[in-house]
Amino acid sequence: MTAVLAKIQSNQQLTPQADKDIFSIELVPLNETHAFDYQPGDWALVSGLNPDSLVEKVLALLKIDSKAEVELKRFGNLPAGKALVESLEITQLNPAILNKLQRQFQIGLDRWSDRAAMMDYAQGKDVVDLLEDIPEIQRLGADFLQLLSPLAPRYYSIASANTHDVASSLSPLRLLYRRVEYQSSGRTRLGVVSNWLANQPAGKVLTIDIKSNPTFKLPAGKDSPIIMIASGTGLAPFLGFMEQRVANQATDNWLFFGETDPEKTCLHCEKLNAWKNKGFLNVDFAFSRVEPKAYVQDVLKQNADKVWESWQQGALVYLCGSQDKMAVAVQALWQEWFAEKLNLTETEAENYWQQMRREKRIQMDVY
Ligand SMILES: Cc1cc2nc3c(=O)[nH]c(=O)nc-3n(C[C@H](O)[C@H](O)[C@H](O)COP(=O)(O)OP(=O)(O)OC[C@H]3O[C@@H](n4cnc5c(N)ncnc54)[C@H](O)[C@@H]3O)c2cc1C
Ligand SMILES: NC(=O)c1ccc[n+]([C@@H]2O[C@H](COP(=O)([O-])OP(=O)(O)OC[C@H]3O[C@@H](n4cnc5c(N)ncnc54)[C@H](OP(=O)(O)O)[C@@H]3O)[C@@H](O)[C@H]2O)c1
């Protein structure tokens, strides 16, 4: 993993009319020492600062003054407010905290009988949920901060390719990200990194870590066909794939892209259509909130014969987007095809899917 300093060139909202905010951010290396070294399919890891509103709530519940100095094992002495803004995970509840509460403070012994129960409880909750749910914990005050995990960077698929021969080291790196905001138990929840990133202006310098993803890679040659299946921000790595394929003059590229609305959330559709018009990309869209409503797996199904033909010609298949929703449905469809076309039982078809994954004919980057 390589840490580099990157300057924001632009940070643009792509979906001003939609009920979700998706951004395209373009970063350039601060200077040649910080040149970006990546392949399409790799990730950028980005850190952020916790939302002030949530930090204030945690401080109030624990009755700690923001400026009061606390000593944290990993971070040394620092003001409590600063620790909560910069260093500690509070938007997500790590089940390990529940275990520590039981072991160190005998709190919640009757609530969670095992790790599964802790995971189940922590699912979708933040630290304020815990403090409000079990007021006994509030009495721990600053001791509670010791239990929190360090604030982790978040993964983002790189949505560009390092394709320019001249000064390639200084070419921009793009990300496609959704600002996480949702309501739960009467409170607005803001994702830490996506909200922080959405508020950063052009010119701001950030540290990013570039992490290679060897299990999500284009074929070496330009002749193998590729089939890319994306929902939502899962489009990101395929923008990088396409830049690389165009640079390599590889034309057998088929994208299935699912979003909600052709007018409001057709992410980078101008770019996709331009590649299509130049003969580089076959693209099929699935829009879930306009008639005829469809998800990517429905559109794949409508193209079953041609997709299977491409598979038989050696196409590599890539999936990116939601793990629980899109990826589950697309896997089920491919297994149906394997069963039907290769005359396999359900179990054999599932094993064949796993085998194809091991052989990297099918590659997934789902989250
Ligand atoms: C391999 C990988 C690649 C990824 N690539 C991308 C990418 O290219 N673009 C991108 O936008 N994201 C991507 N993500 C997701 C990204 O890493 C973050 O998880 C996401 O941006 C939310 O982070 P956050 O800090 O803003 O929110 P957090 O503070 O982590 O979120 C707080 C809580 O919100 C919940 N939550 C998150 N989203 C929602 C939602 N929509 N509705 C309800 N609850 C929600 C979480 O489960 C969590 O409990 C990727 C993740 C992985 C693992
Ligand atoms: N942790 C959480 O609680 C949580 C909750 C929501 C989203 N997320 C994650 O946030 C990430 C970013 O969200 P995003 O807006 O980029 O993408 P997204 O929420 O996955 O939405 C993109 C498209 O996928 C569609 N979709 C929904 N269910 C589907 C299914 N079963 N099969 C195929 N397509 C389906 C959506 O349709 P509709 O929206 O019209 O159904 C939409 O058109 C995703 O990884 C998502 O999993 C996390």
Side-chain angles (χ1 to χ4, degrees):
M1 201 150 66
T2 338
V4 285
L5 288 177
K7 189 160 85 172
I8 299 178
Q9 189 127 295
S10 64
N11 192 9
Q12 193 196 346
Q13 230 273 48
L14 301 179
T15 56
Q17 290 169 35
D19 62 358
K20 56 180 166 184
D21 297 341
I22 298 179
F23 290 75
S24 172
I25 191 167
E26 189 165 278
L27 305 164
V28 287
L30 187 61
N31 55 43
E32 285 186 15
T33 322
H34 294 277
F36 301 143
D37 181 13
Y38 67 92
Q39 308 265 309
D42 290 344
W43 298 298
L45 273 64
V46 183
S47 300
L49 300 178
N50 279 311
D52 287 340
S53 53
L54 193 66
V55 168
E56 281 157 22
K57 248 184 160 6
V58 174
L59 288 168
L61 286 164
L62 293 170
K63 298 192 179 53
I64 314 175
D65 188 277
S66 168
K67 296 196 180 83
E69 191 151 290
V70 291
E71 188 186 346
L72 297 176
K73 273 176 221 130
R74 284 196 179 85
F75 304 100
N77 287 359
L78 73 174
K82 186 174 160 68
L84 283 167
V85 169
E86 294 176 8
S87 308
L88 299 171
E89 197 73 69
I90 54 172
T91 59
Q92 304 188 45
L93 182 61
N94 183 342
I97 295 172
L98 310 179
N99 192 21
K100 290 180 199 165
L101 279 171
Q102 286 189 337
R103 279 192 291 111
Q104 294 176 27
F105 300 101
Q106 287 73 53
I107 293 177
L109 291 170
D110 53 344
R111 277 183 170 255
W112 314 293
S113 53
D114 54 19
R115 182 154 169 79
M118 290 176 188
M119 286 177 66
D120 194 42
Y121 173 83
Q123 176 65 32
K125 290 196 173 65
D126 65 17
V127 163
V128 168
D129 290 319
L130 174 70
L131 292 171
E132 286 182 337
D133 207 13
I134 310 178
E136 190 187 352
I137 303 171
Q138 296 171 20
R139 284 191 281 109
L140 299 178
D143 286 344
F144 178 72
L145 302 187
Q146 300 289 356
L147 310 183
L148 300 178
S149 323
L151 182 52
R154 304 315 195 230
Y155 281 67
Y156 295 93
S157 308
I158 296 177
S160 52
N162 242 336
T163 51
H164 308 286
D165 288 340
V166 183
S168 69
S169 58
L170 295 180
S171 64
L173 177 155
R174 282 182 289 276
L175 306 175
L176 178 69
Y177 68 96
R178 173 176 173 177
R179 189 179 69 78
V180 170
E181 175 175 349
Y182 60 99
Q183 300 291 324
S184 180
S185 308
R187 255 192 310 124
T188 301
R189 314 289 171 112
L190 300 174
V192 49
V193 176
S194 59
N195 279 274
W196 180 82
L197 206 51
N199 283 313
Q200 302 312 305
K204 167 98 185 181
V205 175
L206 18 143
T207 305
I208 58 167
D209 284 301
I210 292 179
K211 189 169 165 55
S212 79
N213 177 6
T215 60
F216 204 72
K217 282 285 160 284
L218 281 169
K222 65 174 193 150
D223 297 329
S224 304
I226 64 167
I227 297 173
M228 300 165 280
I229 304 165
S231 63
T233 49
L235 179 67
F238 300 137
L239 296 166
F241 275 22
M242 280 310 300
E243 286 187 9
Q244 189 66 57
R245 295 282 280 182
V246 171
N248 297 352
Q249 295 291 304
T251 52
D252 207 339
N253 309 306
W254 196 352
L255 170 69
F256 291 88
F257 174 44
E259 249 303 338
T260 53
D261 185 310
E263 306 294 330
K264 297 176 183 164
T265 57
C266 200
L267 313 175
H268 290 293
C269 276
E270 278 175 20
K271 214 182 250 189
L272 300 178
N273 285 321
W275 282 322
K276 180 181 173 182
N277 294 338
K278 288 183 183 153
F280 282 107
L281 181 66
N282 185 5
V283 54
D284 281 284
F285 296 103
F287 293 107
S288 58
R289 300 199 191 169
V290 293
E291 294 301 335
K293 289 182 184 160
Y295 284 154
V296 272
Q297 59 270 26
D298 303 319
V299 177
L300 273 165
K301 217 170 187 171
Q302 287 157 16
N303 288 275
D305 290 345
K306 282 192 186 153
V307 172
W308 187 252
E309 201 181 306
S310 181
W311 171 262
Q312 283 181 309
Q313 286 164 2
L316 274 77
V317 175
Y318 300 88
L319 272 68
C320 187
S322 65
Q323 183 163 24
D324 302 343
K325 297 180 287 180
M326 182 277 286
V328 168
V330 170
Q331 178 177 343
L333 177 62
W334 278 84
Q335 285 177 195
E336 246 175 62
W337 285 342
F338 289 149
E340 185 192 314
K341 318 265 185 194
L342 304 175
N343 203 16
L344 303 178
T345 64
E346 237 176 79
T347 312
E348 287 167 343
E350 192 181 343
N351 291 340
Y352 193 65
W353 168 275
Q354 297 306 348
Q355 185 189 331
M356 291 300 101
R357 288 210 56 199
R358 284 193 296 277
E359 291 179 14
K360 298 194 178 168
R361 271 295 295 280
I362 298 172
Q363 302 184 29
M364 291 165 68
D365 182 20
V366 294
Y367 47 92

Coordinates of all heavy atoms in Angstrom, one line a residue, residues 20-23 41-48 50-51 54 89-93 122-126 151-159 174-184 189-197 213 232-237 320-321 323 325 364-367, ligand 1:
K20 N -30.4 10.9 -4.0 CA -29.2 10.5 -3.4 C -28.0 11.3 -4.1 O -28.2 11.7 -5.2 CB -28.9 9.0 -3.6 CG -29.0 8.5 -5.0 CD -28.8 7.0 -5.0 CE -29.1 6.3 -6.3 NZ -29.0 4.9 -6.2
D21 N -27.0 11.6 -3.3 CA -25.9 12.5 -3.8 C -24.7 11.6 -4.2 O -24.1 11.0 -3.3 CB -25.5 13.4 -2.7 CG -26.6 14.4 -2.3 OD1 -27.6 14.5 -3.1 OD2 -26.5 14.9 -1.2
I22 N -24.5 11.6 -5.5 CA -23.3 10.8 -6.0 C -22.3 11.8 -6.6 O -22.7 12.7 -7.3 CB -23.7 9.7 -7.0 CG1 -24.6 8.7 -6.2 CG2 -22.5 9.0 -7.5 CD1 -25.2 7.6 -7.1
F23 N -21.0 11.7 -6.2 CA -20.0 12.6 -6.6 C -18.9 12.0 -7.4 O -18.6 10.8 -7.2 CB -19.3 13.2 -5.4 CG -20.2 14.1 -4.5 CD1 -21.2 13.7 -3.7 CD2 -19.9 15.5 -4.6 CE1 -21.9 14.5 -2.9 CE2 -20.7 16.4 -3.8 CZ -21.7 15.9 -3.0
G41 N -9.0 -1.2 -11.4 CA -9.5 -2.2 -10.5 C -8.9 -2.1 -9.1 O -9.4 -2.7 -8.2
D42 N -7.9 -1.2 -9.0 CA -7.3 -1.0 -7.6 C -8.2 0.0 -6.8 O -9.1 0.6 -7.4 CB -5.9 -0.4 -7.7 CG -4.9 -1.4 -8.3 OD1 -5.2 -2.7 -8.2 OD2 -3.8 -1.1 -8.7
W43 N -7.8 0.1 -5.6 CA -8.6 1.0 -4.7 C -7.8 2.2 -4.2 O -6.6 2.1 -4.0 CB -9.0 0.2 -3.4 CG -9.9 -0.9 -3.6 CD1 -11.2 -1.0 -4.1 CD2 -9.6 -2.3 -3.2 NE1 -11.7 -2.3 -4.1 CE2 -10.7 -3.1 -3.6 CE3 -8.5 -2.9 -2.6 CZ2 -10.8 -4.5 -3.3 CZ3 -8.6 -4.3 -2.4 CH2 -9.7 -5.1 -2.8
A44 N -8.5 3.2 -3.8 CA -7.9 4.3 -3.0 C -8.6 4.3 -1.6 O -9.8 4.1 -1.5 CB -8.2 5.7 -3.7
L45 N -7.8 4.4 -0.6 CA -8.3 4.4 0.8 C -8.3 5.9 1.2 O -7.2 6.5 1.1 CB -7.5 3.6 1.7 CG -7.8 2.1 1.8 CD1 -7.6 1.4 0.4 CD2 -7.0 1.4 2.8
V46 N -9.4 6.3 1.7 CA -9.6 7.7 2.1 C -10.0 7.8 3.6 O -10.9 7.0 4.0 CB -10.6 8.4 1.2 CG1 -10.7 9.9 1.6 CG2 -10.3 8.2 -0.3
S47 N -9.4 8.7 4.3 CA -9.8 8.9 5.7 C -10.7 10.2 5.8 O -10.6 11.1 4.9 CB -8.6 9.1 6.6 OG -7.8 7.9 6.5
G48 N -11.4 10.4 6.9 CA -12.3 11.6 7.0 C -12.4 12.0 8.5 O -11.7 11.4 9.4
N50 N -15.1 12.8 11.7 CA -16.5 12.5 12.1 C -17.4 13.7 12.1 O -16.9 14.8 12.4 CB -16.5 11.9 13.5 CG -16.2 10.4 13.5 OD1 -16.8 9.6 12.7 ND2 -15.2 9.9 14.3
P51 N -18.7 13.6 11.9 CA -19.6 14.7 11.8 C -19.6 15.4 13.2 O -19.8 14.7 14.2 CB -20.9 14.2 11.5 CG -20.7 12.7 11.1 CD -19.4 12.3 11.5
L54 N -22.5 14.5 15.6 CA -22.5 13.2 16.3 C -21.4 13.3 17.5 O -21.7 12.8 18.6 CB -22.1 12.1 15.3 CG -22.3 10.7 15.8 CD1 -23.8 10.4 16.1 CD2 -21.7 9.6 14.9
E89 N -13.7 5.6 15.9 CA -14.9 5.2 15.1 C -16.2 5.4 15.9 O -16.3 4.8 16.9 CB -14.7 3.7 14.7 CG -15.5 3.2 13.6 CD -15.0 3.6 12.2 OE1 -13.9 3.3 11.8 OE2 -15.8 4.3 11.6
I90 N -17.1 6.3 15.4 CA -18.3 6.5 16.2 C -19.6 6.3 15.3 O -20.7 6.1 15.8 CB -18.4 7.8 16.9 CG1 -18.1 9.0 16.0 CG2 -17.4 7.8 18.1 CD1 -18.4 10.4 16.7
T91 N -19.4 6.4 14.0 CA -20.6 6.2 13.1 C -21.1 4.8 13.0 O -22.2 4.5 12.5 CB -20.4 6.8 11.7 OG1 -19.3 6.1 11.1 CG2 -20.1 8.3 11.7
Q92 N -20.1 3.9 13.3 CA -20.5 2.4 13.3 C -20.2 1.8 14.6 O -19.2 2.3 15.2 CB -19.6 1.7 12.2 CG -19.6 2.3 10.9 CD -18.9 1.4 9.9 OE1 -19.0 0.2 9.9 NE2 -18.1 2.0 9.1
L93 N -21.0 0.9 15.0 CA -20.7 0.2 16.3 C -20.0 -1.1 16.1 O -20.6 -2.0 15.5 CB -22.1 0.0 17.0 CG -22.0 -0.6 18.4 CD1 -21.2 0.3 19.4 CD2 -23.4 -0.8 19.0
A122 N -25.2 -5.0 17.0 CA -24.4 -3.8 16.5 C -24.8 -3.4 15.1 O -24.6 -2.3 14.6 CB -22.9 -4.2 16.5
Q123 N -25.4 -4.4 14.3 CA -25.8 -4.1 12.9 C -26.6 -2.8 12.7 O -27.6 -2.6 13.3 CB -26.6 -5.3 12.5 CG -27.1 -5.2 11.0 CD -26.0 -5.2 10.0 OE1 -25.0 -5.8 10.2 NE2 -26.2 -4.5 8.9
G124 N -26.0 -1.9 11.9 CA -26.8 -0.7 11.6 C -26.8 0.4 12.7 O -27.5 1.4 12.6
K125 N -26.1 0.1 13.8 CA -26.1 1.1 15.0 C -24.9 1.9 15.0 O -23.8 1.5 14.5 CB -26.3 0.3 16.3 CG -27.6 -0.3 16.5 CD -27.8 -0.7 18.0 CE -29.2 -1.1 18.3 NZ -29.6 -2.4 17.7
D126 N -25.0 3.1 15.6 CA -23.8 3.8 15.9 C -23.6 3.9 17.4 O -24.3 3.3 18.2 CB -23.8 5.2 15.2 CG -24.9 6.1 15.8 OD1 -25.4 5.9 16.9 OD2 -25.2 7.1 15.1
L151 N -10.5 5.2 14.0 CA -11.2 5.5 12.8 C -10.5 5.0 11.6 O -9.4 5.4 11.3 CB -11.4 7.1 12.7 CG -12.2 7.7 11.6 CD1 -13.6 7.0 11.5 CD2 -12.4 9.2 11.8
A152 N -11.2 4.1 10.8 CA -10.5 3.4 9.7 C -10.8 4.2 8.4 O -11.9 4.8 8.2 CB -11.1 2.0 9.6
P153 N -9.8 4.2 7.5 CA -10.1 4.7 6.2 C -11.1 3.9 5.4 O -11.3 2.7 5.7 CB -8.7 4.7 5.5 CG -7.9 3.7 6.2 CD -8.5 3.6 7.6
R154 N -11.8 4.4 4.4 CA -12.8 3.7 3.7 C -12.2 3.4 2.3 O -11.4 4.2 1.7 CB -14.1 4.5 3.5 CG -14.8 5.0 4.8 CD -14.9 3.9 5.9 NE -15.9 4.3 6.9 CZ -15.6 4.3 8.2 NH1 -14.4 4.0 8.7 NH2 -16.6 4.6 9.1
Y155 N -12.7 2.3 1.7 CA -12.2 1.9 0.4 C -13.1 2.5 -0.7 O -14.3 2.6 -0.6 CB -12.4 0.4 0.2 CG -11.3 -0.5 0.8 CD1 -11.2 -0.5 2.2 CD2 -10.5 -1.2 0.1 CE1 -10.2 -1.3 2.8 CE2 -9.5 -2.0 0.6 CZ -9.3 -2.0 2.0 OH -8.4 -2.8 2.6
Y156 N -12.4 3.0 -1.8 CA -13.1 3.5 -3.0 C -12.4 2.9 -4.2 O -11.2 3.0 -4.3 CB -13.2 5.0 -3.0 CG -14.0 5.6 -1.9 CD1 -13.3 5.9 -0.7 CD2 -15.4 5.6 -1.9 CE1 -14.1 6.3 0.4 CE2 -16.1 6.1 -0.8 CZ -15.5 6.4 0.4 OH -16.2 6.8 1.5
S157 N -13.3 2.4 -5.1 CA -12.7 1.8 -6.4 C -12.2 3.0 -7.2 O -12.9 4.0 -7.4 CB -13.8 1.1 -7.1 OG -14.4 0.1 -6.3
I158 N -11.0 2.8 -7.8 CA -10.5 3.9 -8.6 C -11.2 3.9 -10.0 O -11.4 2.8 -10.6 CB -9.0 3.7 -8.8 CG1 -8.3 3.9 -7.5 CG2 -8.4 4.7 -9.9 CD1 -6.8 3.7 -7.5
A159 N -11.7 5.1 -10.4 CA -12.6 5.1 -11.5 C -11.9 5.8 -12.7 O -12.5 6.5 -13.5 CB -13.8 6.0 -11.2
R174 N -9.6 9.4 -10.5 CA -10.9 9.7 -10.2 C -11.6 8.7 -9.3 O -11.2 7.5 -9.4 CB -11.8 9.9 -11.5 CG -11.5 11.2 -12.1 CD -12.4 11.4 -13.4 NE -12.0 10.5 -14.4 CZ -11.0 10.8 -15.3 NH1 -10.4 12.0 -15.2 NH2 -10.6 10.0 -16.2
L175 N -12.5 9.1 -8.5 CA -13.4 8.2 -7.7 C -14.8 8.6 -7.9 O -15.1 9.7 -8.3 CB -13.1 8.4 -6.2 CG -11.6 8.3 -5.7 CD1 -11.5 8.6 -4.2 CD2 -11.1 6.9 -6.0
L176 N -15.7 7.6 -7.7 CA -17.1 7.9 -7.8 C -17.7 7.4 -6.5 O -17.6 6.3 -6.1 CB -17.7 7.0 -9.0 CG -19.2 7.0 -9.2 CD1 -19.6 8.4 -9.8 CD2 -19.5 5.9 -10.2
Y177 N -18.3 8.4 -5.8 CA -18.7 8.0 -4.4 C -20.1 8.5 -4.1 O -20.5 9.6 -4.6 CB -17.7 8.4 -3.4 CG -17.6 9.9 -3.2 CD1 -18.3 10.5 -2.1 CD2 -16.8 10.6 -4.0 CE1 -18.2 11.9 -2.0 CE2 -16.6 12.0 -3.8 CZ -17.3 12.6 -2.8 OH -17.2 14.0 -2.6
R178 N -20.8 7.8 -3.3 CA -22.1 8.2 -2.8 C -22.0 8.7 -1.4 O -21.4 8.1 -0.5 CB -23.1 7.0 -2.8 CG -24.4 7.3 -2.2 CD -25.3 6.1 -2.3 NE -26.5 6.4 -1.5 CZ -27.6 5.6 -1.5 NH1 -27.5 4.4 -2.1 NH2 -28.6 5.9 -0.8
R179 N -22.6 9.9 -1.2 CA -22.6 10.5 0.2 C -23.7 9.8 1.0 O -24.8 9.8 0.6 CB -22.9 12.0 0.1 CG -22.7 12.7 1.4 CD -23.0 14.2 1.3 NE -24.5 14.5 1.1 CZ -25.4 14.4 2.0 NH1 -25.1 14.2 3.2 NH2 -26.7 14.7 1.6
V180 N -23.2 9.1 2.1 CA -24.2 8.3 2.8 C -24.9 9.2 3.8 O -24.3 9.8 4.7 CB -23.4 7.2 3.6 CG1 -24.3 6.5 4.6 CG2 -22.9 6.2 2.6
E181 N -26.2 9.2 3.6 CA -27.1 9.9 4.6 C -28.4 9.2 4.6 O -29.0 8.9 3.6 CB -27.4 11.4 4.2 CG -28.4 12.0 5.1 CD -28.6 13.5 4.8 OE1 -27.9 14.1 4.0 OE2 -29.6 14.1 5.4
Y182 N -28.8 8.8 5.8 CA -30.1 8.1 5.9 C -30.7 8.3 7.3 O -30.0 8.8 8.2 CB -30.0 6.6 5.6 CG -29.0 5.9 6.5 CD1 -29.5 5.1 7.6 CD2 -27.7 5.9 6.3 CE1 -28.6 4.5 8.5 CE2 -26.8 5.3 7.2 CZ -27.3 4.6 8.3 OH -26.4 3.9 9.1
Q183 N -32.0 8.0 7.4 CA -32.7 8.2 8.7 C -32.8 6.9 9.4 O -33.1 5.9 8.8 CB -34.1 8.7 8.5 CG -34.2 10.1 7.7 CD -33.7 11.2 8.6 OE1 -33.9 11.2 9.8 NE2 -33.0 12.2 8.0
S184 N -32.6 6.9 10.7 CA -32.8 5.7 11.5 C -33.2 6.1 12.9 O -32.5 7.0 13.5 CB -31.6 4.8 11.4 OG -31.8 3.6 12.2
R189 N -28.5 10.0 9.9 CA -27.1 9.4 10.0 C -26.3 9.9 8.8 O -26.7 9.8 7.7 CB -27.2 7.9 10.0 CG -28.3 7.3 10.9 CD -27.9 7.5 12.3 NE -29.0 7.1 13.2 CZ -29.0 6.1 14.0 NH1 -28.0 5.2 14.0 NH2 -30.1 5.9 14.9
L190 N -25.1 10.3 9.2 CA -24.1 10.7 8.1 C -22.9 9.8 8.1 O -22.3 9.7 9.2 CB -23.7 12.2 8.4 CG -24.8 13.2 8.4 CD1 -24.2 14.6 8.8 CD2 -25.5 13.4 7.1
G191 N -22.6 9.2 7.0 CA -21.4 8.4 6.9 C -20.2 9.3 7.0 O -20.2 10.4 6.5
V192 N -19.2 8.9 7.8 CA -18.0 9.7 8.1 C -17.2 10.2 6.9 O -17.1 11.4 6.6 CB -17.1 9.1 9.2 CG1 -16.7 7.7 9.0 CG2 -15.9 10.0 9.4
V193 N -16.7 9.2 6.1 CA -15.8 9.6 5.1 C -16.5 10.2 3.9 O -16.1 11.3 3.3 CB -14.9 8.4 4.6 CG1 -14.0 8.8 3.5 CG2 -14.0 8.0 5.8
S194 N -17.6 9.6 3.5 CA -18.3 10.2 2.3 C -18.8 11.6 2.5 O -18.8 12.4 1.6 CB -19.5 9.2 1.8 OG -20.4 9.1 2.9
N195 N -19.3 11.9 3.7 CA -19.7 13.3 4.0 C -18.6 14.2 4.1 O -18.6 15.4 3.6 CB -20.6 13.3 5.3 CG -22.0 12.9 5.0 OD1 -22.8 13.7 4.5 ND2 -22.3 11.6 5.1
W196 N -17.5 13.8 4.7 CA -16.3 14.7 4.8 C -15.8 15.0 3.4 O -15.5 16.1 3.1 CB -15.2 13.9 5.6 CG -14.0 14.8 5.8 CD1 -13.8 15.8 6.6 CD2 -12.8 14.7 5.0 NE1 -12.5 16.3 6.4 CE2 -11.9 15.7 5.4 CE3 -12.4 13.8 3.9 CZ2 -10.6 15.8 4.9 CZ3 -11.2 14.0 3.4 CH2 -10.3 15.0 3.8
L197 N -15.7 13.9 2.6 CA -15.2 14.1 1.2 C -16.1 15.0 0.4 O -15.6 15.9 -0.3 CB -15.1 12.7 0.5 CG -14.1 12.5 -0.6 CD1 -12.7 12.9 -0.2 CD2 -14.1 11.0 -1.0
N213 N -5.6 -4.4 -6.1 CA -6.6 -5.4 -6.0 C -6.4 -6.5 -7.1 O -6.9 -6.4 -8.2 CB -8.0 -4.8 -6.1 CG -9.1 -5.8 -6.1 OD1 -8.9 -7.0 -5.8 ND2 -10.3 -5.3 -6.4
G232 N -25.2 1.1 -9.3 CA -24.9 2.3 -8.5 C -23.4 2.7 -8.7 O -22.9 2.7 -9.8
T233 N -22.8 3.0 -7.6 CA -21.4 3.4 -7.6 C -20.5 2.3 -8.0 O -19.3 2.5 -8.2 CB -20.9 3.9 -6.2 OG1 -21.3 3.0 -5.2 CG2 -21.5 5.3 -5.9
G234 N -21.0 1.1 -8.2 CA -20.3 -0.1 -8.7 C -19.8 0.2 -10.1 O -19.0 -0.6 -10.7
L235 N -20.3 1.3 -10.7 CA -19.8 1.6 -12.1 C -18.3 2.0 -12.0 O -17.6 1.9 -13.0 CB -20.6 2.8 -12.6 CG -20.2 3.3 -14.0 CD1 -20.5 2.3 -15.1 CD2 -21.0 4.6 -14.3
A236 N -17.9 2.5 -10.8 CA -16.5 3.2 -10.7 C -15.4 2.4 -11.4 O -14.7 2.9 -12.3 CB -16.2 3.4 -9.3
P237 N -15.1 1.1 -11.1 CA -13.9 0.5 -11.6 C -14.0 0.3 -13.2 O -13.0 0.3 -13.9 CB -13.8 -0.8 -10.9 CG -15.2 -1.1 -10.5 CD -15.8 0.2 -10.2
C320 N -19.6 -5.4 -10.0 CA -19.2 -4.4 -8.9 C -20.5 -3.7 -8.5 O -21.3 -3.3 -9.3 CB -18.2 -3.5 -9.5 SG -17.6 -2.4 -8.1
G321 N -20.6 -3.6 -7.2 CA -21.8 -2.9 -6.6 C -22.2 -3.5 -5.4 O -21.4 -4.1 -4.6
Q323 N -23.3 -6.0 -2.6 CA -23.0 -7.4 -2.3 C -24.3 -8.1 -2.1 O -24.6 -9.2 -2.6 CB -22.1 -7.4 -1.1 CG -21.7 -8.8 -0.7 CD -20.5 -8.7 0.2 OE1 -20.3 -7.8 0.9 NE2 -19.7 -9.8 0.3
K325 N -27.4 -7.3 -2.6 CA -28.5 -7.2 -3.5 C -28.1 -7.6 -4.9 O -28.4 -8.7 -5.3 CB -29.1 -5.7 -3.5 CG -29.6 -5.3 -2.1 CD -30.1 -3.9 -2.1 CE -29.1 -2.9 -2.1 NZ -29.6 -1.5 -2.0
M364 N -15.1 -10.4 -8.8 CA -16.1 -9.5 -8.1 C -15.4 -8.5 -7.2 O -14.5 -8.8 -6.5 CB -17.0 -10.4 -7.3 CG -18.0 -11.3 -8.1 SD -18.7 -12.6 -7.2 CE -19.8 -11.8 -6.1
D365 N -16.0 -7.3 -7.2 CA -15.6 -6.3 -6.2 C -16.8 -5.7 -5.7 O -17.4 -4.7 -6.2 CB -14.8 -5.2 -7.0 CG -14.2 -4.1 -6.0 OD1 -14.2 -4.4 -4.8 OD2 -13.9 -3.0 -6.5
V366 N -17.4 -6.4 -4.6 CA -18.7 -6.0 -4.2 C -18.6 -5.6 -2.7 O -17.8 -6.1 -2.0 CB -19.7 -7.2 -4.4 CG1 -19.9 -7.4 -5.9 CG2 -19.3 -8.5 -3.7
Y367 N -19.6 -4.8 -2.3 CA -19.5 -4.2 -0.9 C -20.8 -3.9 -0.4 O -21.8 -3.9 -1.1 CB -18.6 -3.0 -0.9 CG -18.9 -2.0 -2.0 CD1 -19.7 -0.9 -1.9 CD2 -18.2 -2.1 -3.3 CE1 -20.0 0.0 -2.9 CE2 -18.4 -1.1 -4.3 CZ -19.3 -0.1 -4.1 OH -19.5 0.8 -5.1
Ligands
LIG1 C1 -13.9 -2.9 -1.7 C2 -14.8 -1.7 -1.5 C3 -15.0 -0.8 -2.6 C4 -15.8 0.3 -2.4 N1 -15.9 1.2 -3.4 C5 -16.8 2.2 -3.3 C6 -16.9 3.2 -4.4 O1 -16.3 3.1 -5.4 N2 -17.8 4.2 -4.2 C7 -18.5 4.3 -3.0 O2 -19.3 5.3 -2.9 N3 -18.4 3.5 -2.0 C8 -17.5 2.4 -2.1 N4 -17.4 1.6 -1.1 C9 -18.1 1.9 0.2 C10 -17.2 2.8 1.0 O3 -15.9 2.2 1.4 C11 -17.8 3.3 2.3 O4 -18.3 2.2 3.0 C12 -19.0 4.2 2.1 O5 -18.5 5.4 1.4 C13 -19.6 4.6 3.4 O6 -18.5 5.2 4.2 P1 -18.8 6.4 5.2 O7 -17.6 6.5 6.0 O8 -19.3 7.5 4.5 O9 -20.0 5.8 6.1 P2 -19.9 5.0 7.5 O10 -19.6 6.0 8.5 O11 -19.0 3.9 7.3 O12 -21.4 4.5 7.5 C14 -22.1 4.6 8.7 C15 -23.1 3.5 8.7 O13 -24.0 3.6 7.5 C16 -24.4 2.3 7.0 N5 -24.7 2.6 5.6 C17 -23.8 2.9 4.6 N6 -24.4 3.2 3.5 C18 -25.7 3.1 3.8 C19 -26.9 3.4 3.1 N7 -26.8 3.7 1.8 N8 -28.1 3.2 3.7 C20 -28.1 2.8 5.0 N9 -27.0 2.6 5.8 C21 -25.9 2.8 5.2 C22 -23.1 1.5 7.2 O14 -23.5 0.1 7.2 C23 -22.6 2.1 8.5 O15 -23.2 1.3 9.6 C24 -16.5 0.5 -1.2 C25 -16.4 -0.4 -0.2 C26 -15.5 -1.5 -0.3 C27 -15.4 -2.5 0.8

